[in-house]
Amino acid sequence: MSSSVIGAAVSRIDGKLKVTGAARYAVDHPMDRLAYGVGVPSTIANGKITRIDTSVAQRMLGVITILHHGNADPLFRPANPFERDSHAGESRPPFDDENVYYYGQFVALVVANTFEQAQDAAAQVKVEYAESKPSVRISEAPAPAGPPMRHYSRGDADGSFKSAPVQLDVTYTTPAETHNPMEMHATIAVWNGDKVALYETTQGVVNHQHVMSEMIGIPLEDVHVISPFCGSGFGGKLFPWPHSMLAAMAARRTQRPVKVSVPRSMMFTTVGHRPFTQQRLRIGATQDGKLISLRHDVITPSSIVDDYAENCTEPTPLLYSCPNVTSQQQLVHLNIGTPTPMRGPGTTPGLFALESAMDELAIKLNLDPLDLRLRNYAETDESSNKAFSSKHLREAYQKGAERFGWSRRNPKVGSMRDGNLILGWGMGTCTWPAGRGTAEVRVRLNADGTARASSATQDIGTGTYTVFAQVVSEKTGIPVEKVDVVLGDSSLPPGPMSGGSTGNASVLPAIAQATQTAVDTLMEIAVRTDCSPFHNADAKTLTMTGGRVHAQDKPAESGVPFGDILKMRRLAGVDGRRRPVRMRAQGTFRVIPSARNSVRLPGTRALRA
């Protein structure tokens, strides 16, 4: 039986903190002289602010200041407004001007000594508008003009469709969907001179730091983002939203820490959503079900202030074998809040349309829907003419059909029953890209027999803390409970965002390599230290098992605890650091200094100098 900690039933190392309430989320951090910001949302979807009357609200008990476009310090627009990996949820900063672009847009922020005082005063801020008719549906917007946002083509999809023996022309729509995680979007901003600390709930600590530096207009090193826990995000917390900038703006104005939490009612308007989609599929096929032509045309809306494209056509060129394929996607700009990624962005609604069309084609051809897909199975990625690195879809079809009992399916409507229930059986194919980004991780082996792994990535509730500890434990034999994990802090080595199912794929190799670098350096120390039992041995003949250094040809029990090796050299610890591929991984042989500005997993051991 394998003794590997990878794949074992390991309790999450952050679990106790969460179930006991000790885990601190964005708004849980205690602050002296904390002030509270409450936003005033627009009540129109399109127009201009003609007057903001704050006279009554300003005189109310506890009110410190009220910010709006007429008196707020200017923020900066991002340099690359349509590159969503490097900018905020909206490319136009809040309070930029008097224009209103969507219902629920922040038009003012009331800052007071208590949340209740700020909320009461916000209700007394009177805003007058010159309202224009909004466009909130695709049918109300001008037809898309110019080249499509996304386009792919091979062969002649239009010509082959016209000559195809069997033709299917269908249009599907999917509704907008909102994220609404348990922890709503929230920020506490604290200025210390020209530097700002932002306690955030985010899926991208490093991205958040870069965006805020750009939009506030201060050096990157002067922005410190802290997010030890995130109460989920589903993609909605990949990028900063206006409330974060407003918290920073208000804290700088008042010279007090300011907390801004988006209320549940505004989670539907101002912090993103999966957009509505309109998708037309035209499929041409032979009578025996072989695809001849496939065309996928998509229209999705974005806000007036940004270009966000829900990439529905990503799987279309590669999912099935077809010589003639065209897919394209157009945007229309509506008076809605900016959309954002959500749980399989693009591919989820895109596959709904494509797979629905394949089902309709199967009905038209009187074919089993599984048989139709097998007849058009793609052995290679025909969009790139490259082999798949791995593909087991055919086996998945087979096993799924066997376990479900697909052979018993009767496609006739109303033919299958379970008591009084009428049953319908269906199937569909799905795919998702295997992405991987860069990650930098530092692993420290301490003289007291513990280890520490750190990276400026974040745990959004998916177990990242525990994954870090498991990999270090696997490589060293140090028990999981003796591995400190420090995440959620922009002062740590840069880590990836948690989105697109790429987080673990990005950090796992980095953790393993950083740990191995630390172990290799430890072995060098073991053979170079006079009083070490391995002095003058070949470091390549040593290994580390169960937290003990020993000769590879001898059991772990014959070795020495790794902490003893460090103590022999009078070292507090040894580091291993894995940098992105473009940079050489380094191991350091030095005394470990005290950590600076680190936020660690609360409740674990103190850092050691």
Side-chain angles (χ1 to χ4, degrees), residues 442-592:
R442 182 188 293 122
V443 172
R444 176 183 301 174
L445 303 179
N446 295 312
D448 65 357
T450 66
R452 177 181 184 267
S454 59
S455 178
T457 188
Q458 53 289 310
D459 190 334
I460 63 171
T462 50
T464 308
Y465 279 111
T466 307
V467 167
F468 266 70
Q470 283 180 287
V471 176
V472 174
S473 177
E474 176 74 11
K475 299 286 288 185
T476 64
I478 300 172
V480 166
E481 60 271 17
K482 289 189 176 183
V483 180
D484 292 342
V485 181
V486 189
L487 307 175
D489 189 322
S490 62
S491 68
L492 299 170
M497 301 173 78
S498 298
S501 300
T502 63
N504 279 349
S506 301
V507 301
L508 285 173
I511 305 166
Q513 291 176 26
T515 305
Q516 189 60 53
T517 300
V519 170
D520 290 346
T521 307
L522 176 68
M523 301 307 170
E524 290 294 332
I525 294 172
V527 300
R528 296 182 187 179
T529 301
D530 291 343
C531 54
S532 166
F534 309 104
H535 183 232
N536 287 333
D538 184 352
K540 295 180 180 180
T541 65
L542 303 182
T543 190
M544 184 172 174
T545 307
R548 302 174 73 90
V549 177
H550 62 96
Q552 293 180 3
D553 59 353
K554 294 184 179 180
E557 293 75 16
S558 67
V560 178
F562 78 92
D564 291 354
I565 299 292
L566 294 174
K567 292 173 184 175
M568 293 172 190
R569 191 75 183 199
R570 296 186 179 179
L571 291 175
V574 62
D575 267 359
R577 186 160 178 167
R578 191 274 189 181
R579 299 179 185 275
V581 174
R582 64 181 178 273
M583 303 173 70
R584 184 177 180 182
Q586 297 180 356
T588 54
F589 181 9
R590 59 181 174 82
V591 176
I592 306 303

Side-chain angles (χ1 to χ4, degrees), residues 299-337:
I299 299 176
T300 60
S302 188
S303 67
I304 300 296
V305 299
D306 204 351
D307 283 0
Y308 172 78
E310 181 84 354
N311 188 13
C312 297
T313 60
E314 184 173 33
T316 307
L318 59 85
L319 192 58
Y320 296 109
S321 178
C322 182
N324 305 290
V325 178
T326 293
S327 63
Q328 65 178 26
Q329 185 153 343
Q330 295 275 13
L331 282 186
V332 294
H333 294 276
L334 301 178
N335 294 112
I336 60 174

Side-chain angles (χ1 to χ4, degrees), residues 57-402:
Q58 192 68 66
R59 294 194 300 269
M60 294 179 68
L61 180 67
V63 173
I64 302 168
T65 189
I66 302 175
L67 301 175
H68 50 79
H69 76 277
N71 64 8
D73 299 326
L75 295 169
F76 296 87
R77 299 187 186 187
N80 301 306
F82 301 136
E83 294 188 11
R84 297 201 44 95
D85 60 348
S86 62
H87 82 298
E90 297 181 14
S91 61
R92 185 181 296 273
F95 300 169
D96 193 40
D97 54 31
E98 73 279 10
N99 293 310
V100 175
Y101 300 101
Y102 62 91
Y103 180 88
Q105 175 182 324
F106 282 100
V107 294
L109 183 78
V110 176
V111 184
N113 288 322
T114 70
F115 172 72
E116 292 77 11
Q117 291 168 342
Q119 191 174 46
D120 287 348
Q124 297 303 316
V125 175
K126 307 302 179 184
V127 185
E128 298 176 6
Y129 305 94
E131 186 175 4
S132 301
K133 187 178 186 303
S135 296
V136 295
R137 297 180 178 87
I138 287 179
S139 59
E140 298 170 343
M149 286 288 291
R150 303 184 188 278
H151 178 78
Y152 171 84
S153 185
R154 67 173 180 262
D156 180 8
D158 292 338
S160 56
F161 177 77
K162 292 176 182 178
S163 61
V166 180
Q167 299 175 353
L168 181 74
D169 188 341
V170 287
T171 298
Y172 304 97
T173 61
T174 60
E177 299 173 271
T178 55
H179 302 74
N180 274 291
M182 289 183 67
E183 182 195 23
M184 294 173 287
H185 294 255
T187 303
I188 298 177
V190 187
W191 285 86
N192 182 11
D194 294 330
K195 301 177 185 291
V196 65
L198 299 167
Y199 295 84
E200 289 285 352
T201 174
T202 177
Q203 292 178 245
V205 167
V206 174
N207 182 71
H208 204 107
Q209 179 194 28
H210 281 255
V211 171
M212 296 302 289
S213 166
E214 196 170 349
M215 298 194 77
I216 299 173
I218 63 175
L220 185 67
E221 61 269 20
D222 290 345
V223 180
H224 187 192
V225 178
I226 303 139
S227 183
F229 293 102
C230 172
S232 197
F234 312 117
K237 295 177 182 176
L238 286 169
F239 313 107
W241 293 97
H243 70 278
S244 189
M245 291 149 238
L246 293 179
M249 179 193 298
R252 181 156 53 181
R253 174 70 65 88
T254 62
Q255 289 299 296
R256 290 174 60 175
V258 173
K259 175 192 297 187
V260 179
S261 181
V262 178
R264 186 65 70 186
S265 59
M266 291 182 70
M267 293 286 291
F268 299 88
T269 56
T270 190
V271 288
H273 60 280
R274 191 202 301 276
F276 171 93
T277 76
Q278 178 178 297
Q279 305 180 61
R280 183 183 181 188
L281 270 297
R282 279 168 281 186
I283 303 178
T286 63
Q287 291 289 353
D288 61 356
K290 190 69 180 74
L291 297 183
I292 297 173
S293 172
L294 174 59
R295 180 172 183 124
H296 190 181
D297 293 283
V298 182
I299 299 176
T300 60
S302 188
S303 67
I304 300 296
V305 299
D306 204 351
D307 283 0
Y308 172 78
E310 181 84 354
N311 188 13
C312 297
T313 60
E314 184 173 33
T316 307
L318 59 85
L319 192 58
Y320 296 109
S321 178
C322 182
N324 305 290
V325 178
T326 293
S327 63
Q328 65 178 26
Q329 185 153 343
Q330 295 275 13
L331 282 186
V332 294
H333 294 276
L334 301 178
N335 294 112
I336 60 174
T338 299
T340 200
M342 179 181 181
R343 297 295 296 180
T347 298
T348 299
L351 283 172
F352 165 78
L354 178 57
E355 290 301 281
S356 295
M358 289 293 285
D359 276 355
E360 294 204 43
L361 180 63
I363 293 171
K364 194 166 190 173
L365 293 169
N366 196 29
L367 283 176
D368 182 285
L370 177 56
D371 186 28
L372 175 64
R373 287 163 172 84
L374 287 169
R375 294 185 188 198
N376 295 283
Y377 191 85
E379 298 292 350
T380 62
D381 180 352
E382 296 180 6
S383 68
S384 63
N385 291 319
K386 295 180 179 178
F388 292 108
S389 58
S390 63
K391 184 177 182 182
H392 302 282
L393 181 58
R394 194 185 298 276
E395 296 96 313
Y397 283 147
Q398 179 182 352
K399 288 185 179 295
E402 290 173 355

